[in-house]
Amino acid sequence: MTLLAEHFVKPPEWTWYILTYFFLAGLSGGSYALGALLRLSRRPGYQAAARLAFLAAFPLILACPLLLTLDLGQPLRFWHMLFDSANLPALNFKYWSPMSLGVWALSIYAAFAFVSFVEALSSRVRRLLAGGLGAVVAVLGGALGLFVAAYTGVLLSVSNQPVWSDGWPLGGLFLASGLSGAAALLVLAAGYRPQLAEGVRALSEADRYFVAIEAVLVVMFLVTVALAGSLGKLFSGIIPLLWLFVVLGLAVPVVAHTRTRPILPLITSLLVLVGVLALRAAVIFGAQS
Amino acid sequence: MAVKRAGFFTDTSVCIGCKACEVACKEWNGLQGNSPNLLLDSFDNTGQLDAENWRHVKFYERMPDQANLVEQPASTGGGQAFLMMSDVCKHCQHASCMEVCPTNAIVRTEFDTVYIQQDVCNGCRNCISACPYNVIGFNQATGTVHKCTLCYDRLQNDLTPACAKACPTESIKFGDVDTLHQLADARLAALQKQGYSKAQLYGRDDKVYGGLNAFFLLMDEPEVYNLPNRANAVLPSRNNLPGYLGGLATAVVAVIAGLIAFRRRGESEETKA
Ligand code: SF4
Ligand code: SF4
């Protein structure tokens, strides 16, 4: 007798707070990473867009600790994630538990996001960070941003929950979709301001690449889940509707580009963002349905 | 004398499904239980282990006339027709719950049992998605998670856990794990001699989660009892490496893609200008 569903695990009931957190963490980490790439390109035409990315990354990550805390059964014990409350002042750091690693990464990333946020706001700080120091901040912060966007997927995988633990590509998938969402968000935020036009065109182009990477990872994820025999959960109830939005978010940026007259980039961006949210919702709610 | 490595040997072959263990557990641990749930598909109205149920008698009723389900459809059903199993936290040697807990609320006690410290747990529920045995449950009122403590307070006072004390058929045996292993080996040998060829021990050796302090004698394959078999007894951390490597590979490809996009755009701007 072969039994495909290998584990019999209760859902942790991670719902709206966690969905919103995963969404914002992906967008913030992605924005910062894109900002860092634009900044490090040193192309003058990109610098306004880089600043916009840094201006977005910090407020987006600011909401995250709040959401994570509200999701706890004992919100006032949030600090137990960082400190070993039974052995103070010892720290809690378990690199093999993505939740533990992630809380640390999130905290350190937020500090970098703050520095770059201030850098984008104040020309005095900008002058201070104009040299190598600023580049170092951008590189480290960018790496942390990529990590924050990706680890949320690894966190789901590192469990025994069917679907999540079957799909190891989740980390990469959430990263690709976070980058794609961030590019779309920045295009949306830039609007038609002329000083941002060059950056917007670059970001739109990058988004098409990210979408392609994401599409490959969606397929890989679905295949791994199918091999484990839990695919049904990802297509139960109204979840197929969510996948429809995922597909739209993947297809529209590419289709919009191949037309001779590009469709409104703002609508494209909006659809990409809805797709990013829908992907996380499908994965989170599908597994726990 | 206090036990060194505390455990349960639950011998399902003599379980009569009376649920005395469920009641005794609730009595001692002050668990309210959930509101009655008429599941209507068996004698089981408890449903599952959770914050209010730390022992749960599972019923797998397989009628002898369903010949394909039962090895030898004898009048007795070959000991495989009415399967009852008092389920409980396995107090795994390699505990999935403990592995992921970010607050270190889940610890191994001086009795070698797995214990959730209520004053440390912050209710993140990571352990719930990790436990492969569907054991841990969240309690809204306390904001924390709960499971069998193997009667930690009773152990400290050299008392037998409530369920083992109450079990009328001694299906639940409590003791030092080494002693329980010997008991279990003898019982398995006796059953096999009587012709129960599918009888087997689950969690006796280290093949599932490094060995289970609360291990079982089953009358059929683990899958029949909704237990992961040896091949499927895997820890959450198995996905760390592939997960992060997948993330890293994606990051590298995405950064290169971003650089190419930014360069191409930049160059086409320059040629235009
Ligand atoms: S059975 Fe579940 S709750 Fe009990 S020790 Fe093992 S993993 Fe933890
Ligand atoms: S819910 Fe409590 S015991 Fe479970 S992982 Fe979170 S902090 Fe640890």
Short mmCIF file of all heavy atoms in Angstrom, two decimals, chain B residues 197-218:
data_model
loop_
_atom_site.label_atom_id
_atom_site.label_comp_id
_atom_site.label_asym_id
_atom_site.label_seq_id
_atom_site.Cartn_x
_atom_site.Cartn_y
_atom_site.Cartn_z
N SER B 197 1.37 -12.15 11.79
CA SER B 197 2.62 -11.91 11.07
C SER B 197 2.88 -10.42 10.82
O SER B 197 4.01 -10.01 10.62
CB SER B 197 2.57 -12.65 9.72
OG SER B 197 1.46 -12.17 8.98
N LYS B 198 1.82 -9.63 10.82
CA LYS B 198 2.05 -8.21 10.52
C LYS B 198 2.32 -7.38 11.78
O LYS B 198 2.54 -6.18 11.69
CB LYS B 198 0.85 -7.63 9.78
CG LYS B 198 0.84 -7.95 8.30
CD LYS B 198 -0.08 -7.00 7.59
CE LYS B 198 0.09 -7.07 6.08
NZ LYS B 198 -0.84 -6.15 5.42
N ALA B 199 2.24 -7.99 12.94
CA ALA B 199 2.52 -7.24 14.17
C ALA B 199 3.94 -6.70 14.10
O ALA B 199 4.86 -7.37 13.62
CB ALA B 199 2.35 -8.16 15.38
N GLN B 200 4.12 -5.47 14.53
CA GLN B 200 5.44 -4.85 14.45
C GLN B 200 5.56 -3.73 15.47
O GLN B 200 4.57 -3.17 15.92
CB GLN B 200 5.67 -4.30 13.05
CG GLN B 200 4.59 -3.33 12.60
CD GLN B 200 4.76 -2.98 11.12
OE1 GLN B 200 5.60 -2.18 10.77
NE2 GLN B 200 3.96 -3.60 10.27
N LEU B 201 6.81 -3.43 15.80
CA LEU B 201 7.05 -2.32 16.73
C LEU B 201 7.33 -1.06 15.91
O LEU B 201 8.00 -1.11 14.88
CB LEU B 201 8.24 -2.64 17.64
CG LEU B 201 8.04 -3.84 18.57
CD1 LEU B 201 9.30 -4.10 19.37
CD2 LEU B 201 6.84 -3.62 19.49
N TYR B 202 6.80 0.06 16.38
CA TYR B 202 6.98 1.34 15.68
C TYR B 202 7.69 2.31 16.62
O TYR B 202 7.16 2.61 17.69
CB TYR B 202 5.62 1.91 15.26
CG TYR B 202 5.73 3.21 14.50
CD1 TYR B 202 6.07 3.23 13.15
CD2 TYR B 202 5.49 4.42 15.15
CE1 TYR B 202 6.18 4.42 12.46
CE2 TYR B 202 5.59 5.62 14.46
CZ TYR B 202 5.94 5.61 13.10
OH TYR B 202 6.05 6.79 12.43
N GLY B 203 8.88 2.75 16.22
CA GLY B 203 9.62 3.70 17.05
C GLY B 203 10.49 3.04 18.10
O GLY B 203 11.11 3.71 18.92
N ARG B 204 10.57 1.71 18.05
CA ARG B 204 11.39 0.97 19.02
C ARG B 204 12.87 1.17 18.69
O ARG B 204 13.69 1.38 19.57
CB ARG B 204 11.00 -0.51 18.96
CG ARG B 204 12.09 -1.52 19.28
CD ARG B 204 12.28 -1.66 20.76
NE ARG B 204 13.16 -2.77 21.12
CZ ARG B 204 14.48 -2.69 21.16
NH1 ARG B 204 15.10 -1.58 20.81
NH2 ARG B 204 15.19 -3.74 21.56
N ASP B 205 13.20 1.10 17.39
CA ASP B 205 14.59 1.34 17.00
C ASP B 205 14.74 2.81 16.57
O ASP B 205 13.80 3.58 16.68
CB ASP B 205 15.02 0.38 15.89
CG ASP B 205 14.11 0.49 14.67
OD1 ASP B 205 13.42 1.53 14.54
OD2 ASP B 205 14.06 -0.46 13.87
N ASP B 206 15.91 3.17 16.07
CA ASP B 206 16.13 4.58 15.77
C ASP B 206 15.77 4.94 14.33
O ASP B 206 16.16 5.99 13.85
CB ASP B 206 17.57 4.98 16.10
CG ASP B 206 18.58 4.12 15.35
OD1 ASP B 206 18.14 3.31 14.50
OD2 ASP B 206 19.79 4.23 15.62
N LYS B 207 15.00 4.08 13.66
CA LYS B 207 14.72 4.33 12.25
C LYS B 207 13.67 5.44 12.05
O LYS B 207 13.64 6.08 11.01
CB LYS B 207 14.25 3.04 11.56
CG LYS B 207 15.34 1.98 11.50
CD LYS B 207 16.47 2.45 10.61
CE LYS B 207 17.63 1.47 10.44
NZ LYS B 207 17.92 0.55 11.51
N VAL B 208 12.77 5.64 12.99
CA VAL B 208 11.88 6.80 12.88
C VAL B 208 12.26 7.82 13.94
O VAL B 208 12.21 7.55 15.13
CB VAL B 208 10.37 6.43 13.00
CG1 VAL B 208 9.84 5.83 11.74
CG2 VAL B 208 10.12 5.52 14.17
N TYR B 209 12.67 8.97 13.45
CA TYR B 209 13.03 10.11 14.31
C TYR B 209 13.97 9.74 15.45
O TYR B 209 13.76 10.13 16.60
CB TYR B 209 11.76 10.80 14.81
CG TYR B 209 10.97 11.39 13.66
CD1 TYR B 209 9.75 10.86 13.28
CD2 TYR B 209 11.49 12.45 12.94
CE1 TYR B 209 9.06 11.39 12.19
CE2 TYR B 209 10.82 12.97 11.85
CZ TYR B 209 9.61 12.44 11.48
OH TYR B 209 8.94 12.96 10.40
N GLY B 210 14.97 8.94 15.12
CA GLY B 210 15.99 8.59 16.10
C GLY B 210 15.49 7.74 17.23
O GLY B 210 16.17 7.56 18.24
N GLY B 211 14.27 7.21 17.07
CA GLY B 211 13.65 6.43 18.14
C GLY B 211 12.65 7.28 18.88
O GLY B 211 12.84 8.48 19.06
N LEU B 212 11.54 6.65 19.26
CA LEU B 212 10.47 7.37 19.96
C LEU B 212 10.43 6.89 21.41
O LEU B 212 10.37 5.70 21.66
CB LEU B 212 9.12 7.10 19.29
CG LEU B 212 9.07 7.31 17.76
CD1 LEU B 212 7.71 6.89 17.21
CD2 LEU B 212 9.37 8.76 17.41
N ASN B 213 10.47 7.83 22.34
CA ASN B 213 10.32 7.43 23.74
C ASN B 213 8.93 6.86 23.99
O ASN B 213 8.76 5.98 24.82
CB ASN B 213 10.57 8.60 24.67
CG ASN B 213 12.05 8.82 24.94
OD1 ASN B 213 12.86 8.57 24.04
ND2 ASN B 213 12.40 9.24 26.14
N ALA B 214 7.93 7.39 23.27
CA ALA B 214 6.60 6.79 23.33
C ALA B 214 6.44 5.98 22.04
O ALA B 214 6.14 6.53 20.99
CB ALA B 214 5.53 7.86 23.42
N PHE B 215 6.70 4.67 22.15
CA PHE B 215 6.65 3.83 20.94
C PHE B 215 5.48 2.86 21.03
O PHE B 215 4.79 2.78 22.05
CB PHE B 215 7.99 3.12 20.71
CG PHE B 215 8.36 2.13 21.78
CD1 PHE B 215 8.19 0.76 21.55
CD2 PHE B 215 8.87 2.54 22.99
CE1 PHE B 215 8.53 -0.17 22.53
CE2 PHE B 215 9.20 1.61 23.97
CZ PHE B 215 9.03 0.26 23.75
N PHE B 216 5.26 2.12 19.94
CA PHE B 216 4.00 1.37 19.80
C PHE B 216 4.24 -0.04 19.31
O PHE B 216 5.20 -0.31 18.59
CB PHE B 216 3.09 2.09 18.79
CG PHE B 216 2.68 3.47 19.24
CD1 PHE B 216 3.53 4.56 19.05
CD2 PHE B 216 1.46 3.69 19.86
CE1 PHE B 216 3.16 5.83 19.47
CE2 PHE B 216 1.09 4.95 20.28
CZ PHE B 216 1.95 6.02 20.09
N LEU B 217 3.30 -0.91 19.65
CA LEU B 217 3.19 -2.18 18.95
C LEU B 217 1.96 -2.07 18.06
O LEU B 217 0.85 -1.79 18.55
CB LEU B 217 3.04 -3.34 19.93
CG LEU B 217 3.08 -4.74 19.28
CD1 LEU B 217 3.65 -5.76 20.26
CD2 LEU B 217 1.72 -5.22 18.79
N LEU B 218 2.16 -2.20 16.75
CA LEU B 218 1.06 -2.07 15.79
C LEU B 218 0.70 -3.44 15.25
O LEU B 218 1.54 -4.34 15.20
CB LEU B 218 1.47 -1.16 14.63
CG LEU B 218 2.00 0.23 14.98
CD1 LEU B 218 2.44 0.97 13.71
CD2 LEU B 218 0.95 1.04 15.73
#
